[in-house]
Amino acid sequence: MTGPRDWLTAALTRLVAGIAIVVPAALLLGASPAAAHPMPHSVVELDVYQASVSARLELPADDFSGASGIDLSDTTQATLSGKAEAIRTYLGKHIHPTSTGGKAWQVSIGELSLSSTEQTSTGPYRELVAEAVLTPPAGTDVRRFTFGYDVIVHQVITHTALVTVRQDWAAGQIEDEGTTQVGTIRVDTRTMTVPALKVDLGEGSAWRGFLAMLKLGGDHILTGTDHLLFLLILLLPAPLAATGRRWDGLVGARSALLRIGRITLAFTAGHSVALAVTALGRLDIPDWPVEAFIAASILVGAIHAIRPLFPGKEALVAGVFGLGHGMAFSFVLAEMHLSTGQLVTSLLGFNLGIELVQLLLVCLALPSLLVLARLRVQPTLRLAGALLTATAAVGWLADRLGLPNPVARAADSAGSHTTAMLAVLTVTALAATAWTLATRRHARPGPAEPAAVTCPEREGRHAATTCEPYDRDQSTDTANSAAT
């Protein structure tokens, strides 16, 4: 028979054992995600072109060093070139794309760089970025392939590589509009191997690319504060007449409309020609002189709105300055590295998107421009708008010449409020149209009053006195009575 002391000893032993199991389990289950120290993952961003795929590899430097044996702990961007050959050799051995038929693709590792970055819950870390070009054999499908990839993953079994598509023109996906996830690459813990990723991007078409570029062109002009500001500041004094070096009086509604139309068309022609020549010619033009030229054109337009610099020649100036704006538009297409056929289609779609949105904005601004010219406060509002535009232009010019400043940042941020801008333009256009219609209705003349008749017998002192209207029938009756 078990005594009370033995029973008590057994109960205490069970209690202690239970606490030893439950407490650590509760601590582990209740630990926050940060307590698990998650490691950053790799990212492989694909840009899909007509005959090749570019891959941007973003690799945590510490994990890369552990997997490759290439120590990057003390390496800087300046000293990275000393290890570039070893890095490229390692990457080339662990990237093996193949076609659906099993044919190997050619892999070329290009530019390498080191930077600091951060992922959610990981904190800051150093990152090795490598650019690679994956070229399939002739006649194989670039949109369907097997992506054999085990950089870092083959040694660090907890590591994950996230594969995404950043640009795929034929699918209507272009850069700077986010990425589409293709899949993840990790170790299969059952077989301890790294399975290749099957990539199937579906069917692409030129129509999808055209629509994507149409949207991009519209977004570019809508968010391009500098382009819009240049056009609007040239249109601001269009309804006004120039007398000497002053804006004085109006030119009439029809003349104002013709001026606005000529300025808009000239600007359209200028930037369309420059966009086509620069893009199709694949001209490699530095961006900062073009961007500085655009800022200078805005400043000239603002001064012209204050004092006439080239009255009557606004269309010519708009066309000349439009050439610079067109070169800036071409930088967007140049960064996409499209084939000639895709470039031609993109050029049409991109330019059409620009013109459609530009036409919409001019139509929304037109009623307000015509009404503003007829108001007494027009000089004050015009001067305020011109000074504000000139301030933004000076800020942009300084920034694009290498002097960053808060004015340029504030002016650039205005392009992020497109919804508010469209709402304001729409409301002011409706208000200006309603005001114009109401003004014309009140100014319409009423029925003509009958002409006053002066009685001959009341000439002289009573010459201003009117008499009853002359009755032809009454005078005839009087004459007949006299004859009788």
Side-chain angles (χ1 to χ4, degrees), residues 374 433-446:
R374 300 167 60 185
T433 303
W435 184 86
T436 301
L437 294 175
T439 302
R440 290 183 177 180
R441 187 178 298 112
H442 289 306
R444 189 175 299 165

Side-chain angles (χ1 to χ4, degrees), residues 300-457:
V300 171
I303 297 173
H304 177 67
I306 299 173
R307 293 285 184 181
L309 298 179
F310 35 84
K313 298 179 181 179
E314 290 86 354
L316 177 61
V317 173
V320 172
F321 282 136
L323 296 173
H325 290 253
M327 292 181 187
F329 291 150
S330 70
F331 295 152
V332 178
L333 299 182
E335 293 172 355
M336 300 179 70
H337 305 288
L338 301 173
S339 65
T340 302
Q342 291 176 338
L343 182 59
V344 171
T345 304
S346 298
L347 183 61
L348 293 175
F350 187 71
N351 201 49
L352 182 59
I354 290 175
E355 306 316 333
L356 289 176
V357 174
Q358 179 179 283
L359 180 62
L360 170 65
L361 295 174
V362 170
C363 289
L364 288 177
L366 183 60
S368 302
L369 290 173
L370 296 178
V371 169
L372 174 64
R374 300 167 60 185
L375 299 178
R376 292 184 178 179
V377 296
Q378 174 268 129
T380 302
L381 294 178
R382 174 170 50 82
L383 181 61
L387 290 177
L388 189 63
T389 301
T391 301
V394 171
W396 275 323
L397 186 58
D399 179 71
R400 294 167 187 182
L401 291 177
L403 298 173
N405 58 86
V407 174
R409 290 192 294 270
D412 287 331
S413 67
S416 61
H417 305 291
T418 56
T419 302
M421 180 188 69
L422 287 174
V424 170
L425 284 175
T426 302
V427 170
T428 54
L430 292 174
T433 303
W435 184 86
T436 301
L437 294 175
T439 302
R440 290 183 177 180
R441 187 178 298 112
H442 289 306
R444 189 175 299 165
E449 295 292 334
V453 180
T454 303
C455 300
E457 64 274 15

Side-chain angles (χ1 to χ4, degrees), residues 63 192 257 276 295 349 407 413:
D63 286 349
M192 296 306 293
L257 288 174
V407 174
S413 67

